[in-house]
Amino acid sequence: MNKHYEIIVVAGPTASGKSDFAVKLAKECNGEIVSADSRQIYKGLDIGTGKITHEEMCGISHHILDIIDIDQNFSVAEYKRHALPLVEDILARGKTPIICGGTGQYIDSIIFNQSIPEVEPNLALRGHQEEKTTNELYTLLQQKDKRRAQEIDRHNRVRIIRSLEIIDSLGHVPEQITPTFRYPTTIYIMQPSRELLREKVTRRLEKRLHAGMLEEAQTLISKNIPKNTLKKFGIEYVIIAQYLNKEIDEETMKQEIVTKSMQYAKRQNTWNKKYLPYATVVNVTQ
């Protein structure tokens, strides 16, 4: 393995084994791991977000986990403000930063030279937007900024709302030119077959349910968080809420979580295609 890179990225779909692979790399190259996961930033959401445990860390330092409360908002610009100084500090100590996670915009904010609009959250606007369905929000985005609507994931409610917030402040979402790498970077993309990924997602769900995922979700739901807001913590919590409210049975709950997880994995794979010209694909076989 080449030991002369400065930054490593471990990307890939949900349940593909990114965390374990990153820990293995960190042991081999004197690394520290910087999480790039938009759900694992929240305190108390451990099981449903698949947050790595202290035991699984194997003594490797992990950063940007458990940094905000569930009632706080956290933008890509804020992630960048947290992560870049950490990366610089890890490099200054002669170690290797390993950016690991499934949130592509977080990864991009670190490895690419690109500007991110510095627009403060507009809580009044967000409150009004939360009343709309995701389809309604996407239609509104199409009306206000057709270019941005074409490049965004139309199912990503959080990103759509953020785009509308930027448009409200700036009139449009600034167009990003093709970025250049900020650091010499080695990228690994985890790639299981679709059949294996479904098996892994299913096994992971059973493990999480056994570990207390329902109880964790109940604690979150008890805070009377609106359904649309629950989605930013993961669609699993929305589906579990339906089960706990007796709207669906247990088997339907499991099937829905697996199906939605696979749809999410497909969107992640689409995002990761742009890394392929620079990446090493890791064929996941188990």
Side-chain angles (χ1 to χ4, degrees), residues 30-224:
N30 191 28
E32 295 186 12
I33 295 171
V34 179
S35 173
D37 189 296
S38 62
R39 302 188 303 155
Q40 295 182 6
I41 57 175
Y42 293 104
K43 299 174 184 176
L45 301 185
D46 301 330
I47 303 170
T49 64
K51 201 174 293 175
I52 190 169
T53 66
H54 181 74
E55 182 181 7
E56 291 167 340
M57 290 179 185
C58 298
I60 302 297
S61 295
H62 283 65
H63 305 278
I64 317 193
L65 298 171
D66 297 318
I67 63 170
I68 64 171
D69 295 320
I70 60 173
D71 60 349
Q72 293 179 277
N73 294 304
F74 198 74
S75 67
V76 176
E78 288 168 313
Y79 174 81
K80 181 179 178 181
R81 284 197 292 270
H82 275 74
L84 269 183
L86 280 170
V87 169
E88 295 289 349
D89 177 64
I90 295 167
L91 288 169
R93 289 187 279 110
K95 304 187 77 173
T96 303
I98 301 174
I99 316 302
C100 176
T103 303
Q105 288 190 314
Y106 280 13
I107 294 173
D108 285 7
S109 74
I110 298 305
I111 67 173
F112 292 134
N113 287 304
Q114 58 180 4
S115 64
I116 299 173
E118 298 285 340
V119 174
E120 292 296 321
N122 184 331
L123 299 184
L125 180 66
R126 288 188 180 187
H128 179 66
Q129 290 168 342
E130 285 293 352
E131 298 174 0
K132 296 181 172 64
T133 67
T134 302
N135 283 337
E136 288 172 338
L137 289 169
Y138 183 72
T139 298
L140 184 60
L141 180 60
Q142 286 179 307
Q143 295 168 354
K144 290 179 176 290
D145 190 332
K146 187 176 294 185
R147 179 194 56 79
R148 178 58 176 160
Q150 290 175 339
E151 64 188 22
I152 203 170
D153 174 6
R154 65 179 298 148
H155 302 289
N156 193 324
R157 183 181 182 86
V158 173
R159 302 301 178 211
I160 294 172
I161 289 177
R162 179 58 178 164
S163 293
L164 289 169
E165 196 170 50
I166 293 169
I167 292 167
D168 184 71
S169 176
L170 304 180
H172 69 287
V173 178
E175 184 173 3
Q176 296 292 335
I177 61 172
T178 301
T180 57
F181 282 97
R182 179 177 280 112
Y183 309 98
T185 303
T186 295
I187 301 176
Y188 294 96
I189 297 182
M190 312 299 289
Q191 186 171 284
S193 68
R194 184 165 180 81
E195 294 75 18
L196 176 59
L197 186 61
R198 180 174 287 275
E199 290 178 19
K200 289 170 71 68
V201 166
T202 302
R203 291 199 304 266
R204 183 183 70 176
L205 174 58
E206 292 295 342
K207 181 180 178 181
R208 289 181 178 180
L209 290 172
H210 181 73
M213 187 176 174
L214 292 180
E215 290 77 10
E216 180 179 89
Q218 180 63 69
T219 300
L220 181 61
I221 294 163
S222 68
K223 300 181 185 296
N224 295 319

